[in-house]
């Protein structure tokens, strides 16, 4: 009498070893590229001492999280045996934990950037005093979440790489409902909620800025914030690129969860998912480098104009010092707007 359970031969990983190697190479290779690019961006910020500005510190938090996440993606290449069929259990579980942890760290910093931009652009509120909360919550909350799969034994081989498993006993044909629930509860569900909120927030910010630029351009309040907003708006690149690259992994997991035949694998979709996941770091590094180049060029132009017309540096002006390659922002908000009489530092 048949037991109804998959036998040993039917529990082989449905992924072809050669294609699995290609997928892991894409994931790890893009991860290495992300690490290198993020490292260059971080070093540039340190050399130019841009970390003194909150705007750049928020960007650096993003890039640092992406840097560490890229390292984990690169390590996925070593999570399986030589035949790319079975996971090295202990290493695979460690990589899976770090994968989920840094995914959440990246998500948390992205949430805070969106919130910071939203409150400043819409309500003229500077949340600089919340910076410590940004950092601590983005480090500690992900630890609590990433520990959960350890308590349920869910970390392991999940398709081509190590993550939260959606099958039991290392058998792809033995689907684990609890594993699927964990995947969506611990990551894809919150990520999807963030995607919706972030999309609405970005649209609201864009509408508010366009309306004020067209109709309220002479208002003192708008003029006082215009320069600071110009410096802060490049931060929108992080939530925008992050949410775009998040769509493919979400769609893939939804498709996998609805599939009744786990032996059927869409390699193109799986490869695209792995690439998109590791591109989070690459996109963050590129965004920071572009941000620095744009603001430096703008600072040089403004300084050149001030020298040409012989005018003094006024509010909202970024001074570029060629001798030290240092950018210091001297924008000062009205105290009654930011609710902090001591908040006269740069953004």
């Amino acid at each position: 009498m048949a037991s109804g359970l998959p036998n040993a031969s039917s529990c082989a990983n449905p992924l072809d070893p050669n294609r699995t190697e290609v997928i892991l190479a894409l994931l790890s290779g893009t991860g290495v590229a992300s690490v290198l690019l993020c490292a260059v961006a971080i070093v540039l910020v340190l050399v130019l001492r841009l970390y003194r500005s909150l705007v750049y510190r928020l960007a650096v938090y993003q890039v640092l999280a992406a840097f560490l996440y890229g390292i984990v993606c690169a390590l996925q290449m070593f999570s399986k045996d030589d035949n790319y069929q079975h996971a090295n259990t202990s290493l695979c579980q460690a990589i899976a934990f770090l994968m989920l942890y840094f995914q959440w760290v990246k998500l948390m910093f992205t949430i805070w950037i969106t919130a910071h931009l939203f409150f400043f652009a819409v309500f003229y509120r500077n949340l600089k005093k919340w910076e410590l909360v940004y950092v601590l919550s983005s480090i500690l909350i992900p630890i609590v979440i990433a520990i959960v799969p350890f308590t349920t034994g869910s970390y392991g081989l999940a398709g081509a790489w190590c993550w939260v498993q959606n099958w039991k006993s290392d058998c792809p044909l033995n689907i684990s409902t609890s594993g699927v629930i964990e995947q969506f509860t611990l990551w894809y569900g919150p990520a999807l909620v963030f995607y919706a909120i972030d999309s609405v927030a970005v649209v609201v910010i864009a509408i508010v800025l366009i309306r004020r630029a067209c109709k309220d351009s002479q208002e003192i309040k708008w003029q006082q914030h215009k320069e600071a907003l110009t410096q802060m708006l490049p931060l929108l690149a992080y939530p925008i690129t992050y949410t775009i690259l998040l769509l493919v992994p979400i769609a893939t997991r939804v498709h996998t969860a609805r599939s009744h035949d786990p032996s059927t694998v869409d390699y193109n979709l799986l490869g695209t998912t792995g690439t998109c996941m590791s591109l989070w770091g690459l996109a963050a590094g590129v965004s920071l480098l572009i941000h620095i180049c744009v603001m430096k060029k703008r600072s040089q132009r403004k300084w050149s104009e001030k020298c040409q017309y012989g005018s003094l540096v006024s509010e909202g002006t970024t001074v570029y010092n060629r001798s030290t390659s240092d950018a210091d922002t001297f924008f000062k908000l009205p105290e009654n707007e930011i609710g902090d009489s001591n908040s006269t530092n740069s953004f």
Side-chain angles (χ1 to χ4, degrees):
M1 183 175 179
S3 63
L5 295 173
N7 55 43
S9 61
S10 67
C11 284
N13 193 325
L15 291 175
D16 177 77
N18 294 327
R19 293 185 177 182
T20 299
E21 183 178 5
V22 172
I23 292 172
L24 287 177
L26 286 172
L27 177 65
S28 300
T30 312
V32 171
S34 299
V35 169
L36 295 176
L37 194 61
C38 289
V40 171
I42 293 172
V43 169
L44 190 58
V45 169
L46 294 176
V47 170
L48 298 178
R49 292 183 286 179
L50 299 175
Y51 53 83
R52 295 186 298 181
S53 167
L54 177 60
V55 173
Y56 287 107
R57 288 202 300 275
L58 290 175
V60 167
Y61 297 148
Q62 277 278 326
V63 174
L64 183 57
F67 172 83
L68 296 172
Y69 179 73
I71 293 177
V72 178
C73 288
L75 290 175
Q76 290 282 3
M77 196 69 184
F78 306 100
S79 63
K80 290 191 174 184
D81 58 20
D82 295 336
N83 296 321
Y84 293 94
Q85 285 284 356
H86 304 289
N88 298 317
T89 306
S90 298
L91 179 60
C92 185
Q93 290 177 348
I95 292 175
F97 168 78
L98 292 174
M99 192 86 167
L100 182 59
Y101 174 71
F102 286 117
Q103 283 175 335
W104 263 100
V105 171
K106 183 75 167 61
L107 177 63
M108 290 295 297
F109 277 126
T110 306
I111 290 173
W112 282 119
I113 278 185
T114 304
H116 189 88
L117 287 171
F118 182 82
F119 278 96
F120 187 83
V122 178
F123 300 110
Y124 297 124
R125 298 302 181 197
N126 180 15
L127 302 182
K128 181 176 182 178
K129 60 184 179 181
W130 287 80
E131 182 180 2
L132 184 59
V133 177
Y134 295 175
V135 176
L136 291 179
S137 61
S138 298
I139 293 175
L140 299 179
I141 292 177
I143 291 179
V144 176
I145 296 172
I147 286 177
V148 173
F150 271 131
T151 63
T152 58
S154 299
Y155 278 137
L157 190 60
W161 51 80
C162 298
W163 201 58
V164 180
Q165 284 187 312
N166 56 348
W167 59 58
K168 299 176 182 178
S169 304
D170 293 326
C171 178
L173 300 182
N174 192 5
I175 297 298
S176 170
T177 303
S178 60
V180 174
I181 292 174
E182 276 190 57
Q183 286 183 348
F184 281 89
T185 302
L186 298 179
W187 176 243
Y188 288 107
L192 190 58
V193 171
F194 162 75
Y195 175 82
I197 296 175
D198 180 73
S199 299
V200 173
V202 170
V203 171
V204 170
I205 292 171
I207 292 175
V208 169
L209 294 181
I210 292 173
R211 289 187 60 185
R212 287 176 178 166
C214 295
K215 297 182 180 181
D216 304 327
S217 59
Q218 300 304 317
E219 287 190 1
I220 296 177
K221 188 183 297 184
W222 167 248
Q223 291 296 330
Q224 291 172 332
H225 288 73
K226 186 176 181 179
E227 181 65 24
L229 282 170
T230 301
Q231 297 176 38
M232 294 176 67
L233 282 180
L235 292 177
L236 276 176
Y238 300 98
I240 290 175
T241 55
Y242 183 73
T243 51
I244 290 174
L245 293 173
L246 189 62
L247 279 178
V248 174
I250 289 178
T252 302
R253 285 300 172 179
V254 170
H255 172 74
T256 303
R258 295 181 60 183
S259 175
H260 297 288
D261 185 10
S263 63
T264 302
V265 179
D266 189 331
Y267 288 99
N268 293 329
L269 187 59
L270 194 58
T272 304
T273 298
T275 304
C276 286
M277 289 169 58
S278 53
L279 277 176
W280 292 342
L282 201 64
V286 170
S287 297
L288 181 53
L289 289 175
I290 293 176
H291 186 183
I292 293 173
C293 292
V294 169
M295 295 308 297
K296 281 290 186 180
K297 185 176 181 180
R298 182 172 179 273
S299 299
Q300 287 178 307
R301 186 176 65 251
K302 288 179 71 66
W303 176 248
S304 177
E305 291 174 355
K306 291 296 181 182
C307 291
Q308 182 179 355
Y309 293 103
S311 59
L312 296 175
V313 177
S314 58
E315 61 178 339
T317 302
T318 303
V319 180
Y320 181 75
N321 188 326
R322 287 190 177 88
S323 62
T324 60
S325 298
D326 182 31
D328 295 319
T329 302
F330 291 96
F331 177 76
K332 181 178 179 181
L333 283 174
E335 295 179 2
N336 61 337
E337 291 300 330
I338 62 176
D340 184 357
S341 59
N342 295 322
S343 298
T344 59
N345 296 325
S346 63
F347 286 90

